[in-house]
């Protein structure tokens, strides 16, 4: 029973770490946080708005990209999450931090929990 609970806890915590909202890895296509300013502090334009910048990156055209409100996203494979701005600058990246080491940390955590589970099984025998 202890082993099963430990494994369940490992899976839950691994899942929680996968849904971080404050950082994202790679090109940040899966970022679903609520950052709504660029790296220089400009306010992002809503994805449904066509002013001050008209565009085709709309929720209708990119239905799986999480284009909600004016949150930073990467619907079109740019190098990082970005948004259209409310200023004369058309668009900017948002500066969503990468999650360096997150994958390695999660793997280490899960491996340690599995090791403990194995020890518990052996000790119960």
């Amino acid at each position: 029973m202890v082993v099963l609970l430990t494994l369940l806890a490992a899976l839950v915590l691994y899942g929680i770490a996968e849904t971080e909202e404050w950082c994202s890895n790679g090109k940040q296509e899966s970022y679903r946080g609520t950052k709504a300013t660029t790296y220089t502090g400009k306010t992002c334009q809503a994805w449904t708005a066509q002013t001050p910048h008209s565009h085709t990156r709309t929720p209708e055209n990119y239905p799986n990209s999480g284009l909600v409100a004016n949150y930073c996203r990467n619907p079109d494979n740019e190098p990082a999450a970005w948004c259209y701005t409310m200023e004369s600058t058309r668009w900017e990246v948002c500066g969503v931090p990468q999650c360096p080491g997150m994958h390695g940390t999660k793997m280490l955590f899960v491996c340690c929990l599995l090791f403990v589970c194995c020890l518990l099984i052996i000790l119960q025998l």
Side-chain angles (χ1 to χ4, degrees):
M1 183 61 137
V2 171
V3 174
L4 291 175
L5 290 174
T6 305
L7 284 173
L8 181 61
L11 292 173
V12 168
L13 290 173
Y14 186 86
I16 289 171
E18 278 293 303
T19 59
E20 293 291 351
E21 290 192 1
W22 56 272
C23 66
S24 185
N25 285 322
K27 290 188 173 183
Q28 305 178 332
E29 301 98 330
S30 63
Y31 174 69
R32 295 298 181 267
T34 57
K35 183 169 175 51
T37 56
T38 68
Y39 79 101
T40 62
K42 294 177 178 72
T43 300
C44 293
Q45 173 182 319
W47 294 100
T48 55
Q50 293 296 319
T51 57
H53 306 288
S54 61
H55 61 90
T56 59
R57 273 54 167 206
T58 63
E60 295 76 28
N61 292 340
Y62 294 81
N64 299 317
S65 296
L67 301 181
V68 177
N70 65 336
Y71 301 146
C72 299
R73 297 291 186 260
N74 188 4
D76 56 356
N77 205 31
E78 291 292 332
W82 61 276
C83 68
Y84 293 105
T85 76
M86 293 300 292
E87 298 181 24
S88 60
T89 303
R90 183 168 170 78
W91 68 275
E92 281 187 358
V93 295
C94 293
V96 173
Q98 294 285 321
C99 302
M102 182 63 78
H103 189 284
T105 302
K106 288 188 295 189
M107 288 302 292
L108 178 62
F109 177 75
V110 171
C111 288
C112 287
L113 282 177
L114 290 174
F115 176 75
V116 169
C117 289
C118 291
L119 281 178
L120 289 172
I121 290 171
I122 292 168
L123 291 175
Q124 289 177 356
L125 294 177

